[in-house]
């Protein structure tokens, strides 16, 4: 399954990372290196040398001569001379340089990917056969263009605020169509109060339901992206991303273009798995219990007191 063919050291094009879980990368790199992770390093280089020169020597001599000494007449004098010479010169030179290295998370990711590839621990998934061979815990790499979950797109547009606003508008529109033409000011004021109460009640309920659905689909902290790797037979790989680990500000950037994913498998391959099987609420409820709950909600809404205009 793993590509064991020898690989050359040919340089590849630099990559731009838009998503990375730095804590996981740091943990894997420490296990690889088997020592704490370095974040910064300083190196200092010094060199020096001395140049010396010197000279030592001595000279001496003797001689005789005649000189005239004032008031004493002439005489013969013996002369002896000695001289010595000593000199020295020293020159010292030196250079120093300092370098500081910062091990960024982008570099750590490069080291992890390089190690996994060299040790044949990285599986490249490009077919159903490859996907069926991997197990949870394996490191994989695949290239694909992503599609969003339809429910994710819907919840991005249909926000709880929008649901509440639409509900309030619908209630008010219904009341305005039945606005009393008779009864004077008191009838119109009572009708407006009923309209406001009904709009508040139904708007708050609609907003609460929208918030519950959004929380259940984990839209607040995570996103799911569907990568269509092959069409025949169909293979879809689901990439789960935490919004906090996006390096770019726009998590929808993954939907624009083709990207390569380096990740760890958390679940085996499933055949014909429905999208809502990943929904935590629906997954943990039996169909009979869900039907019963919906029926009870219908009875509750039908028996609720209704506010009707005069």
């Amino acid at each position: 399954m793993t590509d064991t063919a020898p690989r050359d050291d040919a340089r590849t094009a630099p990559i731009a990372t838009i998503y990375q879980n730095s804590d996981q990368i740091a943990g894997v790199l420490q296990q690889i290196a088997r020592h704490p992770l370095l974040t910064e390093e300083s190196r200092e280089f010094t060199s020096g040398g001395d140049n010396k020169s010197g000279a030592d020597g001595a000279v001496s001599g003797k001689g005789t001569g005649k000189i005239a000494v004032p008031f004493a007449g002439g005489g013969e004098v013996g002369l002896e001379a000695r001289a010595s010479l000593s000199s020295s010169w020293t020159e010292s030179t030196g250079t120093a340089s300092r370098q500081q290295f910062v091990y960024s998370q982008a570099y750590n990711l490069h080291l992890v990917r390089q190690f996994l590839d060299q040790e044949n621990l990285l599986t490249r998934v490009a077919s159903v056969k490859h996907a069926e061979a991997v197990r949870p815990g394996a490191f994989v790499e695949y290239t694909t263009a992503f599609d969003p979950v339809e429910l994710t797109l819907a919840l991005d547009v249909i926000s709880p605020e929008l649901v509440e606003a639409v509900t309030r508008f619908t209630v008010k529109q219904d009341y305005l169509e039945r606005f009393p033409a008779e009864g004077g000011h008191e009838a119109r004021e009572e009708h407006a109060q009923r309209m406001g109460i009904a709009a508040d009640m139904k708007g708050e309920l609609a907003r609460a339901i929208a918030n519950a659905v959004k929380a259940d689909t984990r839209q607040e902290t995570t996103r799911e992206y569907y990568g269509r790797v092959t069409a025949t037979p169909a293979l879809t790989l689901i990439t789960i991303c935490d919004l906090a680990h996006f390096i770019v500000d726009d998590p929808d950037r993954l939907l624009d273009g083709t990207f390569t994913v380096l990740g760890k498998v958390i679940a085996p391959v499933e055949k014909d798995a429905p999208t809502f099987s990943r929904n935590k609420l629906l997954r943990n409820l039996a169909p009979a219990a869900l039907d019963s709950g919906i029926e009870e909600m219908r009875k509750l809404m039908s028996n609720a007191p209704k506010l009707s205009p005069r």
Side-chain angles (χ1 to χ4, degrees):
M1 166 50 194
T2 304
D3 184 8
T4 57
R7 299 183 176 90
D8 54 19
D9 294 332
R11 293 182 178 272
T12 58
I15 61 175
T17 304
I18 65 174
Y19 177 86
Q20 177 179 331
N21 190 332
S22 301
D23 295 334
Q24 290 187 1
I25 293 297
V28 173
L29 186 56
Q30 290 184 72
Q31 296 177 56
I32 293 173
R34 297 183 180 180
H35 61 68
L37 191 64
L38 292 177
T39 57
E40 293 184 4
E41 179 183 0
S42 297
R43 300 177 185 177
E44 186 172 348
F45 304 92
T46 58
S47 62
D50 295 332
N51 294 325
K52 297 182 179 180
S53 63
D56 294 313
V59 63
S60 63
K62 294 183 179 180
T64 59
K66 292 182 179 181
I67 60 173
V69 180
F71 310 108
E76 185 173 316
V77 180
L79 301 176
E80 181 176 356
R82 295 173 178 261
S84 62
L85 175 64
S86 177
S87 66
S88 63
W89 175 72
T90 302
E91 179 184 9
S92 300
T93 60
T95 58
S97 64
R98 176 176 297 176
Q99 297 178 336
Q100 185 172 4
F101 303 88
V102 177
Y103 295 92
S104 65
Q105 292 300 326
Y107 180 69
N108 293 339
L109 175 61
H110 167 71
L111 293 180
V112 170
R113 184 174 182 271
Q114 185 180 50
F115 172 83
L116 295 175
D117 189 39
Q118 292 177 350
E119 299 297 325
N120 295 324
L121 298 176
L122 184 60
T123 301
R124 289 177 173 82
V125 178
S127 66
V128 175
K129 183 179 179 181
H130 292 167
E132 291 175 345
V134 296
R135 293 292 179 267
F139 289 94
V140 296
E141 186 177 76
Y142 61 93
T143 301
T144 183
F146 289 104
D147 295 329
V149 181
E150 290 79 1
L151 183 60
T152 300
L153 291 179
L155 291 178
D156 285 341
V157 177
I158 308 174
S159 63
E161 293 79 11
L162 179 60
V163 172
E164 180 182 7
V166 171
T167 303
R168 294 174 64 88
F169 173 80
T170 303
V171 173
K172 291 181 178 180
Q173 187 179 37
D174 180 62
Y175 268 78
L176 287 176
E177 292 177 354
R178 295 179 289 133
F179 200 80
E182 299 178 356
H185 176 72
E186 294 181 357
R188 290 191 292 271
E189 185 176 1
E190 182 179 355
H191 185 85
Q193 291 178 354
R194 289 174 176 271
M195 178 181 66
I197 295 174
D200 291 340
M201 291 176 56
K202 294 184 178 181
E204 292 176 359
L205 177 61
R207 182 187 181 95
I209 294 175
N211 279 325
V213 173
K214 191 170 185 178
D216 181 56
T217 54
R218 301 183 299 179
Q219 294 302 304
E220 296 293 337
T221 58
T222 61
R223 288 286 179 90
E224 292 184 356
Y225 301 89
Y226 283 21
R228 318 292 179 176
V229 178
T230 60
T232 307
L235 175 63
T236 301
L237 300 181
I238 302 175
T239 302
I240 302 174
C241 298
D242 295 329
L243 297 180
H245 298 304
F246 273 96
I247 298 176
V248 297
D249 294 332
D250 183 14
D252 290 332
R253 184 75 60 85
L254 277 179
L255 304 178
D256 303 328
T258 301
F259 295 90
T260 298
V261 177
L262 170 64
K264 200 170 187 180
V265 178
I266 62 174
V269 175
E270 297 182 31
K271 186 176 181 180
D272 298 332
T275 301
F276 286 101
S277 65
R278 301 183 56 78
N279 185 282
K280 292 183 294 183
L281 176 62
L282 299 180
R283 181 185 59 195
N284 294 322
L285 284 178
L290 182 60
D291 294 339
S292 176
I294 294 176
E295 184 63 27
E296 291 296 329
M297 184 177 296
R298 289 176 180 174
K299 293 179 180 180
L300 180 62
M301 295 181 66
S302 62
N303 295 329
K306 298 180 180 179
L307 299 175
S308 58
R310 286 186 175 181

